[in-house]
Amino acid sequence: MVAMIPWSKKLKPVIGILTAKKKDGTIGGNGSLFIELQKKLISLNGISFIFTLDGVHDDSIDGFTFIPEKNEWEKINSPYPDLVYNRIPFRKSEEEIKNSTFFSDLKDKKIPFFNPGFIDKYELYQLFNDHPILHSYLPSTIPAIEKQKLRSFLAQFQSIYLKPAQSARGNGIFRLELDTEKKLILNGISKSNEYITFDHFWSDWENILREKNYLAQEEIKTKTYDGKRFDLRILAHAVNDNYIVTGVGIRQSQKQDITTHIPSGGKLLPYDLFQTKEQDFFIENVVEQIGMALSQKFGFFGEFSIDVGISETGHYYIYEVNSKPMSFDEKEIEVKKIEYLCQLFLQLTVHNN
């Protein structure tokens, strides 16, 4: 028999962090984030626990809470929390929860939750493309599932990126370009291919492009530093009904220039190498506009990160917006993230306590 949280009546707020199990049955998600949130919440007289959908009952939830004194996780049974923080790491698991009654049960119980979920890249493009400000920062993008449209798109831009509409961290991304002899060169993070004609390429890729809802995006010729491309990683949080910049990092490509992600060999550079007042103003403005647009369309977003490139002419381009940001390698940004998240938890639960 699992004991109820002994401090649940004393410690407020109680934050439930929703995650999911991996294929091997262990709990997935960002363990270091969960631990740091717990430590900070305890210092604010709150508490948190992590749980998965199969731990949810009608009037209580089975989960795990981190005990800093023991440096270990302890199994608990808790009343419903004051807020649910969605950190499900897998799109498939999130679909299962959306098809369950859990989110509607939370609404019935007047329990706030964020974020609504992963964002489909093309839905995001359409949202921003209709926005009076954000549309000017978008690379041209189309679904890559119609042969003639993709052929024309490649002919127009000569070099394009192919990205699955529902992916993250640069997974499944390729660059497709026409060379001077009109051959097609396809480069990925770890593999490349050549095709004599577009028809040969399409024959090879049609099923993959359609099954994974690939998008085609024009390649932006970006500024370089020491001869290698870089982009901005911006972390943002909701604070007092506004959206503010939590931190900005720089990621630079190294051995391959398809993506600048650190797990794919990218390098971290300090933001102050590139910082200007004009750039800071752009970042602050775009963060506010994106936060409001996302929340109006999909439901309240408490946090997100943005990947931004700078063209050779100095124009900014929004490549991606991530609803469940990865950890930043910059420690000072991670510290601010924990601070802002916990303050947001307190703000969203003040009426419930």
mmCIF file of all heavy atoms in Angstrom, residues 287-326:
data_model
loop_
_atom_site.group_PDB
_atom_site.id
_atom_site.type_symbol
_atom_site.label_atom_id
_atom_site.label_comp_id
_atom_site.label_asym_id
_atom_site.label_seq_id
_atom_site.Cartn_x
_atom_site.Cartn_y
_atom_site.Cartn_z
ATOM 1 N N VAL A 287 9.388 37.436 -29.191
ATOM 2 C CA VAL A 287 8.964 36.563 -28.090
ATOM 3 C C VAL A 287 7.548 36.910 -27.645
ATOM 4 O O VAL A 287 6.695 36.031 -27.460
ATOM 5 C CB VAL A 287 9.958 36.676 -26.909
ATOM 6 C CG1 VAL A 287 9.309 36.272 -25.589
ATOM 7 C CG2 VAL A 287 11.183 35.806 -27.164
ATOM 8 N N GLU A 288 7.286 38.200 -27.493
ATOM 9 C CA GLU A 288 5.949 38.631 -27.069
ATOM 10 C C GLU A 288 4.886 38.265 -28.103
ATOM 11 O O GLU A 288 3.815 37.746 -27.768
ATOM 12 C CB GLU A 288 5.961 40.145 -26.830
ATOM 13 C CG GLU A 288 4.695 40.657 -26.168
ATOM 14 C CD GLU A 288 4.772 42.149 -25.855
ATOM 15 O OE1 GLU A 288 5.846 42.751 -26.063
ATOM 16 O OE2 GLU A 288 3.751 42.697 -25.415
ATOM 17 N N GLN A 289 5.196 38.501 -29.372
ATOM 18 C CA GLN A 289 4.236 38.201 -30.445
ATOM 19 C C GLN A 289 3.971 36.701 -30.562
ATOM 20 O O GLN A 289 2.829 36.273 -30.733
ATOM 21 C CB GLN A 289 4.754 38.755 -31.781
ATOM 22 C CG GLN A 289 4.940 40.265 -31.825
ATOM 23 C CD GLN A 289 3.643 41.032 -31.638
ATOM 24 O OE1 GLN A 289 2.564 40.539 -31.932
ATOM 25 N NE2 GLN A 289 3.751 42.251 -31.130
ATOM 26 N N ILE A 290 5.024 35.894 -30.483
ATOM 27 C CA ILE A 290 4.865 34.444 -30.595
ATOM 28 C C ILE A 290 4.074 33.901 -29.409
ATOM 29 O O ILE A 290 3.164 33.077 -29.575
ATOM 30 C CB ILE A 290 6.243 33.751 -30.700
ATOM 31 C CG1 ILE A 290 6.834 33.985 -32.087
ATOM 32 C CG2 ILE A 290 6.132 32.242 -30.421
ATOM 33 C CD1 ILE A 290 8.250 33.452 -32.273
ATOM 34 N N GLY A 291 4.405 34.347 -28.197
ATOM 35 C CA GLY A 291 3.692 33.874 -27.014
ATOM 36 C C GLY A 291 2.198 34.139 -27.094
ATOM 37 O O GLY A 291 1.376 33.258 -26.829
ATOM 38 N N MET A 292 1.838 35.342 -27.501
ATOM 39 C CA MET A 292 0.421 35.689 -27.601
ATOM 40 C C MET A 292 -0.266 34.886 -28.707
ATOM 41 O O MET A 292 -1.386 34.392 -28.530
ATOM 42 C CB MET A 292 0.260 37.190 -27.841
ATOM 43 C CG MET A 292 0.642 38.042 -26.637
ATOM 44 S SD MET A 292 0.205 39.795 -26.820
ATOM 45 C CE MET A 292 1.247 40.273 -28.205
ATOM 46 N N ALA A 293 0.416 34.750 -29.850
ATOM 47 C CA ALA A 293 -0.175 34.015 -30.980
ATOM 48 C C ALA A 293 -0.402 32.549 -30.628
ATOM 49 O O ALA A 293 -1.458 31.973 -30.931
ATOM 50 C CB ALA A 293 0.727 34.138 -32.207
ATOM 51 N N LEU A 294 0.575 31.914 -29.980
ATOM 52 C CA LEU A 294 0.441 30.503 -29.601
ATOM 53 C C LEU A 294 -0.710 30.305 -28.621
ATOM 54 O O LEU A 294 -1.522 29.379 -28.764
ATOM 55 C CB LEU A 294 1.746 30.002 -28.960
ATOM 56 C CG LEU A 294 2.957 29.835 -29.867
ATOM 57 C CD1 LEU A 294 4.161 29.401 -29.044
ATOM 58 C CD2 LEU A 294 2.688 28.823 -30.969
ATOM 59 N N SER A 295 -0.778 31.151 -27.602
ATOM 60 C CA SER A 295 -1.797 30.980 -26.569
ATOM 61 C C SER A 295 -3.200 31.235 -27.109
ATOM 62 O O SER A 295 -4.154 30.573 -26.709
ATOM 63 C CB SER A 295 -1.499 31.895 -25.375
ATOM 64 O OG SER A 295 -0.338 31.453 -24.697
ATOM 65 N N GLN A 296 -3.326 32.188 -28.020
ATOM 66 C CA GLN A 296 -4.636 32.453 -28.617
ATOM 67 C C GLN A 296 -5.102 31.300 -29.490
ATOM 68 O O GLN A 296 -6.288 30.981 -29.548
ATOM 69 C CB GLN A 296 -4.589 33.747 -29.430
ATOM 70 C CG GLN A 296 -4.534 35.002 -28.570
ATOM 71 C CD GLN A 296 -4.199 36.255 -29.369
ATOM 72 O OE1 GLN A 296 -4.130 36.231 -30.604
ATOM 73 N NE2 GLN A 296 -3.978 37.362 -28.672
ATOM 74 N N LYS A 297 -4.158 30.647 -30.159
ATOM 75 C CA LYS A 297 -4.506 29.568 -31.088
ATOM 76 C C LYS A 297 -4.660 28.218 -30.407
ATOM 77 O O LYS A 297 -5.615 27.483 -30.672
ATOM 78 C CB LYS A 297 -3.426 29.482 -32.176
ATOM 79 C CG LYS A 297 -3.556 28.305 -33.134
ATOM 80 C CD LYS A 297 -4.717 28.459 -34.072
ATOM 81 C CE LYS A 297 -4.737 27.327 -35.096
ATOM 82 N NZ LYS A 297 -5.892 27.423 -36.001
ATOM 83 N N PHE A 298 -3.718 27.866 -29.519
ATOM 84 C CA PHE A 298 -3.654 26.491 -29.008
ATOM 85 C C PHE A 298 -4.020 26.350 -27.534
ATOM 86 O O PHE A 298 -4.197 25.238 -27.048
ATOM 87 C CB PHE A 298 -2.241 25.924 -29.208
ATOM 88 C CG PHE A 298 -1.795 25.880 -30.640
ATOM 89 C CD1 PHE A 298 -0.765 26.700 -31.089
ATOM 90 C CD2 PHE A 298 -2.399 25.020 -31.552
ATOM 91 C CE1 PHE A 298 -0.336 26.660 -32.408
ATOM 92 C CE2 PHE A 298 -1.979 24.981 -32.883
ATOM 93 C CZ PHE A 298 -0.952 25.797 -33.307
ATOM 94 N N GLY A 299 -4.110 27.453 -26.787
ATOM 95 C CA GLY A 299 -4.260 27.370 -25.339
ATOM 96 C C GLY A 299 -2.991 27.880 -24.675
ATOM 97 O O GLY A 299 -1.960 28.036 -25.321
ATOM 98 N N PHE A 300 -3.051 28.128 -23.376
ATOM 99 C CA PHE A 300 -1.973 28.833 -22.690
ATOM 100 C C PHE A 300 -0.616 28.146 -22.813
ATOM 101 O O PHE A 300 -0.458 26.975 -22.495
ATOM 102 C CB PHE A 300 -2.305 29.006 -21.209
ATOM 103 C CG PHE A 300 -1.200 29.652 -20.422
ATOM 104 C CD1 PHE A 300 -0.867 30.976 -20.648
ATOM 105 C CD2 PHE A 300 -0.468 28.930 -19.491
ATOM 106 C CE1 PHE A 300 0.164 31.580 -19.956
ATOM 107 C CE2 PHE A 300 0.567 29.524 -18.788
ATOM 108 C CZ PHE A 300 0.880 30.856 -19.019
ATOM 109 N N PHE A 301 0.362 28.910 -23.288
ATOM 110 C CA PHE A 301 1.751 28.459 -23.353
ATOM 111 C C PHE A 301 2.543 29.194 -22.276
ATOM 112 O O PHE A 301 2.640 30.417 -22.306
ATOM 113 C CB PHE A 301 2.357 28.750 -24.725
ATOM 114 C CG PHE A 301 2.186 27.628 -25.700
ATOM 115 C CD1 PHE A 301 0.963 27.405 -26.309
ATOM 116 C CD2 PHE A 301 3.235 26.774 -25.982
ATOM 117 C CE1 PHE A 301 0.800 26.353 -27.191
ATOM 118 C CE2 PHE A 301 3.072 25.718 -26.868
ATOM 119 C CZ PHE A 301 1.852 25.501 -27.465
ATOM 120 N N GLY A 302 3.116 28.444 -21.341
ATOM 121 C CA GLY A 302 3.904 29.060 -20.283
ATOM 122 C C GLY A 302 5.358 29.201 -20.653
ATOM 123 O O GLY A 302 6.088 29.978 -20.027
ATOM 124 N N GLU A 303 5.799 28.438 -21.656
ATOM 125 C CA GLU A 303 7.198 28.484 -22.068
ATOM 126 C C GLU A 303 7.311 28.003 -23.503
ATOM 127 O O GLU A 303 6.454 27.279 -24.006
ATOM 128 C CB GLU A 303 8.058 27.588 -21.168
ATOM 129 C CG GLU A 303 7.721 26.110 -21.301
ATOM 130 C CD GLU A 303 8.602 25.204 -20.466
ATOM 131 O OE1 GLU A 303 9.693 25.628 -20.057
ATOM 132 O OE2 GLU A 303 8.183 24.054 -20.236
ATOM 133 N N PHE A 304 8.383 28.395 -24.159
ATOM 134 C CA PHE A 304 8.708 27.890 -25.491
ATOM 135 C C PHE A 304 10.117 28.347 -25.817
ATOM 136 O O PHE A 304 10.672 29.240 -25.165
ATOM 137 C CB PHE A 304 7.722 28.391 -26.560
ATOM 138 C CG PHE A 304 7.541 29.877 -26.605
ATOM 139 C CD1 PHE A 304 8.352 30.685 -27.395
ATOM 140 C CD2 PHE A 304 6.546 30.491 -25.853
ATOM 141 C CE1 PHE A 304 8.195 32.052 -27.440
ATOM 142 C CE2 PHE A 304 6.374 31.869 -25.884
ATOM 143 C CZ PHE A 304 7.201 32.652 -26.680
ATOM 144 N N SER A 305 10.708 27.717 -26.815
ATOM 145 C CA SER A 305 11.998 28.193 -27.319
ATOM 146 C C SER A 305 11.871 28.419 -28.820
ATOM 147 O O SER A 305 10.986 27.854 -29.474
ATOM 148 C CB SER A 305 13.131 27.207 -27.010
ATOM 149 O OG SER A 305 12.946 25.986 -27.700
ATOM 150 N N ILE A 306 12.743 29.271 -29.342
ATOM 151 C CA ILE A 306 12.694 29.656 -30.750
ATOM 152 C C ILE A 306 14.077 29.490 -31.354
ATOM 153 O O ILE A 306 15.076 29.869 -30.731
ATOM 154 C CB ILE A 306 12.277 31.137 -30.920
ATOM 155 C CG1 ILE A 306 11.129 31.512 -29.982
ATOM 156 C CG2 ILE A 306 11.903 31.442 -32.363
ATOM 157 C CD1 ILE A 306 10.917 33.018 -29.860
ATOM 158 N N ASP A 307 14.134 28.910 -32.555
ATOM 159 C CA ASP A 307 15.376 28.856 -33.322
ATOM 160 C C ASP A 307 15.296 29.939 -34.393
ATOM 161 O O ASP A 307 14.355 29.946 -35.202
ATOM 162 C CB ASP A 307 15.550 27.497 -34.005
ATOM 163 C CG ASP A 307 15.666 26.354 -33.007
ATOM 164 O OD1 ASP A 307 15.733 26.622 -31.795
ATOM 165 O OD2 ASP A 307 15.686 25.186 -33.450
ATOM 166 N N VAL A 308 16.258 30.840 -34.385
ATOM 167 C CA VAL A 308 16.245 31.976 -35.307
ATOM 168 C C VAL A 308 17.568 32.035 -36.065
ATOM 169 O O VAL A 308 18.643 31.880 -35.471
ATOM 170 C CB VAL A 308 16.031 33.303 -34.535
ATOM 171 C CG1 VAL A 308 16.281 34.513 -35.438
ATOM 172 C CG2 VAL A 308 14.615 33.367 -33.969
ATOM 173 N N GLY A 309 17.491 32.253 -37.368
ATOM 174 C CA GLY A 309 18.682 32.451 -38.185
ATOM 175 C C GLY A 309 18.784 33.888 -38.649
ATOM 176 O O GLY A 309 17.781 34.618 -38.663
ATOM 177 N N ILE A 310 19.984 34.288 -39.040
ATOM 178 C CA ILE A 310 20.213 35.640 -39.561
ATOM 179 C C ILE A 310 20.819 35.505 -40.951
ATOM 180 O O ILE A 310 21.867 34.885 -41.131
ATOM 181 C CB ILE A 310 21.178 36.446 -38.669
ATOM 182 C CG1 ILE A 310 20.736 36.393 -37.204
ATOM 183 C CG2 ILE A 310 21.256 37.900 -39.149
ATOM 184 C CD1 ILE A 310 21.740 36.982 -36.240
ATOM 185 N N SER A 311 20.148 36.071 -41.947
ATOM 186 C CA SER A 311 20.626 35.941 -43.323
ATOM 187 C C SER A 311 21.871 36.800 -43.541
ATOM 188 O O SER A 311 22.227 37.647 -42.712
ATOM 189 C CB SER A 311 19.536 36.356 -44.311
ATOM 190 O OG SER A 311 19.417 37.776 -44.332
ATOM 191 N N GLU A 312 22.517 36.586 -44.668
ATOM 192 C CA GLU A 312 23.716 37.356 -45.012
ATOM 193 C C GLU A 312 23.424 38.855 -45.109
ATOM 194 O O GLU A 312 24.303 39.684 -44.906
ATOM 195 C CB GLU A 312 24.288 36.852 -46.342
ATOM 196 C CG GLU A 312 24.866 35.455 -46.261
ATOM 197 C CD GLU A 312 25.256 34.896 -47.616
ATOM 198 O OE1 GLU A 312 24.704 35.351 -48.638
ATOM 199 O OE2 GLU A 312 26.124 33.992 -47.642
ATOM 200 N N THR A 313 22.162 39.182 -45.388
ATOM 201 C CA THR A 313 21.771 40.601 -45.481
ATOM 202 C C THR A 313 21.295 41.153 -44.142
ATOM 203 O O THR A 313 20.910 42.323 -44.059
ATOM 204 C CB THR A 313 20.650 40.787 -46.517
ATOM 205 O OG1 THR A 313 19.511 40.001 -46.117
ATOM 206 C CG2 THR A 313 21.107 40.344 -47.898
ATOM 207 N N GLY A 314 21.302 40.308 -43.094
ATOM 208 C CA GLY A 314 20.920 40.782 -41.766
ATOM 209 C C GLY A 314 19.451 40.617 -41.423
ATOM 210 O O GLY A 314 18.993 41.120 -40.394
ATOM 211 N N HIS A 315 18.690 39.893 -42.256
ATOM 212 C CA HIS A 315 17.265 39.673 -41.971
ATOM 213 C C HIS A 315 17.102 38.454 -41.061
ATOM 214 O O HIS A 315 17.800 37.446 -41.223
ATOM 215 C CB HIS A 315 16.486 39.452 -43.264
ATOM 216 C CG HIS A 315 15.003 39.412 -43.073
ATOM 217 N ND1 HIS A 315 14.253 40.546 -42.903
ATOM 218 C CD2 HIS A 315 14.143 38.364 -43.000
ATOM 219 C CE1 HIS A 315 12.977 40.202 -42.742
ATOM 220 N NE2 HIS A 315 12.888 38.890 -42.790
ATOM 221 N N TYR A 316 16.185 38.559 -40.106
ATOM 222 C CA TYR A 316 15.944 37.451 -39.174
ATOM 223 C C TYR A 316 14.906 36.481 -39.748
ATOM 224 O O TYR A 316 13.933 36.897 -40.376
ATOM 225 C CB TYR A 316 15.443 37.983 -37.831
ATOM 226 C CG TYR A 316 16.463 38.808 -37.092
ATOM 227 C CD1 TYR A 316 16.398 40.199 -37.109
ATOM 228 C CD2 TYR A 316 17.499 38.205 -36.384
ATOM 229 C CE1 TYR A 316 17.339 40.970 -36.442
ATOM 230 C CE2 TYR A 316 18.445 38.959 -35.716
ATOM 231 C CZ TYR A 316 18.367 40.342 -35.747
ATOM 232 O OH TYR A 316 19.304 41.084 -35.091
ATOM 233 N N TYR A 317 15.134 35.179 -39.484
ATOM 234 C CA TYR A 317 14.195 34.149 -39.919
ATOM 235 C C TYR A 317 13.889 33.204 -38.752
ATOM 236 O O TYR A 317 14.809 32.718 -38.083
ATOM 237 C CB TYR A 317 14.767 33.328 -41.079
ATOM 238 C CG TYR A 317 14.734 34.059 -42.397
ATOM 239 C CD1 TYR A 317 15.814 34.820 -42.819
ATOM 240 C CD2 TYR A 317 13.603 34.003 -43.213
ATOM 241 C CE1 TYR A 317 15.784 35.503 -44.027
ATOM 242 C CE2 TYR A 317 13.560 34.681 -44.425
ATOM 243 C CZ TYR A 317 14.648 35.427 -44.828
ATOM 244 O OH TYR A 317 14.601 36.097 -46.021
ATOM 245 N N ILE A 318 12.603 32.962 -38.539
ATOM 246 C CA ILE A 318 12.178 32.014 -37.508
ATOM 247 C C ILE A 318 12.143 30.625 -38.138
ATOM 248 O O ILE A 318 11.358 30.366 -39.047
ATOM 249 C CB ILE A 318 10.783 32.377 -36.960
ATOM 250 C CG1 ILE A 318 10.808 33.760 -36.299
ATOM 251 C CG2 ILE A 318 10.303 31.322 -35.954
ATOM 252 C CD1 ILE A 318 9.424 34.317 -35.991
ATOM 253 N N TYR A 319 13.004 29.728 -37.651
ATOM 254 C CA TYR A 319 13.044 28.363 -38.183
ATOM 255 C C TYR A 319 12.064 27.444 -37.458
ATOM 256 O O TYR A 319 11.355 26.657 -38.077
ATOM 257 C CB TYR A 319 14.449 27.766 -38.027
ATOM 258 C CG TYR A 319 15.535 28.429 -38.820
ATOM 259 C CD1 TYR A 319 16.821 28.529 -38.305
ATOM 260 C CD2 TYR A 319 15.296 28.948 -40.085
ATOM 261 C CE1 TYR A 319 17.849 29.123 -39.027
ATOM 262 C CE2 TYR A 319 16.315 29.546 -40.818
ATOM 263 C CZ TYR A 319 17.586 29.631 -40.285
ATOM 264 O OH TYR A 319 18.595 30.219 -40.989
ATOM 265 N N GLU A 320 12.094 27.496 -36.126
ATOM 266 C CA GLU A 320 11.318 26.558 -35.319
ATOM 267 C C GLU A 320 10.817 27.251 -34.055
ATOM 268 O O GLU A 320 11.447 28.191 -33.562
ATOM 269 C CB GLU A 320 12.187 25.368 -34.859
ATOM 270 C CG GLU A 320 12.925 24.622 -35.944
ATOM 271 C CD GLU A 320 12.083 23.543 -36.585
ATOM 272 O OE1 GLU A 320 10.953 23.318 -36.116
ATOM 273 O OE2 GLU A 320 12.564 22.935 -37.550
ATOM 274 N N VAL A 321 9.707 26.738 -33.521
ATOM 275 C CA VAL A 321 9.289 27.065 -32.162
ATOM 276 C C VAL A 321 9.029 25.742 -31.451
ATOM 277 O O VAL A 321 8.305 24.888 -31.962
ATOM 278 C CB VAL A 321 8.021 27.943 -32.138
ATOM 279 C CG1 VAL A 321 7.546 28.158 -30.701
ATOM 280 C CG2 VAL A 321 8.294 29.296 -32.788
ATOM 281 N N ASN A 322 9.636 25.562 -30.295
ATOM 282 C CA ASN A 322 9.532 24.305 -29.554
ATOM 283 C C ASN A 322 8.713 24.515 -28.289
ATOM 284 O O ASN A 322 9.060 25.344 -27.445
ATOM 285 C CB ASN A 322 10.931 23.792 -29.192
ATOM 286 C CG ASN A 322 11.798 23.650 -30.437
ATOM 287 O OD1 ASN A 322 11.512 22.847 -31.309
ATOM 288 N ND2 ASN A 322 12.838 24.467 -30.539
ATOM 289 N N SER A 323 7.630 23.748 -28.155
ATOM 290 C CA SER A 323 6.734 23.921 -27.007
ATOM 291 C C SER A 323 7.262 23.264 -25.745
ATOM 292 O O SER A 323 6.806 23.575 -24.645
ATOM 293 C CB SER A 323 5.352 23.350 -27.341
ATOM 294 O OG SER A 323 5.448 21.973 -27.679
ATOM 295 N N LYS A 324 8.198 22.336 -25.901
ATOM 296 C CA LYS A 324 8.798 21.677 -24.733
ATOM 297 C C LYS A 324 10.317 21.790 -24.868
ATOM 298 O O LYS A 324 10.977 20.851 -25.297
ATOM 299 C CB LYS A 324 8.340 20.224 -24.649
ATOM 300 C CG LYS A 324 6.826 20.106 -24.450
ATOM 301 C CD LYS A 324 6.362 18.683 -24.443
ATOM 302 C CE LYS A 324 4.847 18.645 -24.441
ATOM 303 N NZ LYS A 324 4.324 17.280 -24.501
ATOM 304 N N PRO A 325 10.843 22.943 -24.504
ATOM 305 C CA PRO A 325 12.258 23.213 -24.769
ATOM 306 C C PRO A 325 13.195 22.193 -24.132
ATOM 307 O O PRO A 325 12.966 21.721 -23.016
ATOM 308 C CB PRO A 325 12.484 24.591 -24.139
ATOM 309 C CG PRO A 325 11.120 25.195 -24.022
ATOM 310 C CD PRO A 325 10.182 24.051 -23.827
ATOM 311 N N MET A 326 14.240 21.869 -24.871
ATOM 312 C CA MET A 326 15.315 21.054 -24.313
ATOM 313 C C MET A 326 16.073 21.873 -23.282
ATOM 314 O O MET A 326 15.946 23.095 -23.218
ATOM 315 C CB MET A 326 16.278 20.644 -25.422
ATOM 316 C CG MET A 326 15.681 19.751 -26.487
ATOM 317 S SD MET A 326 16.779 19.603 -27.928
ATOM 318 C CE MET A 326 18.258 18.909 -27.197
#
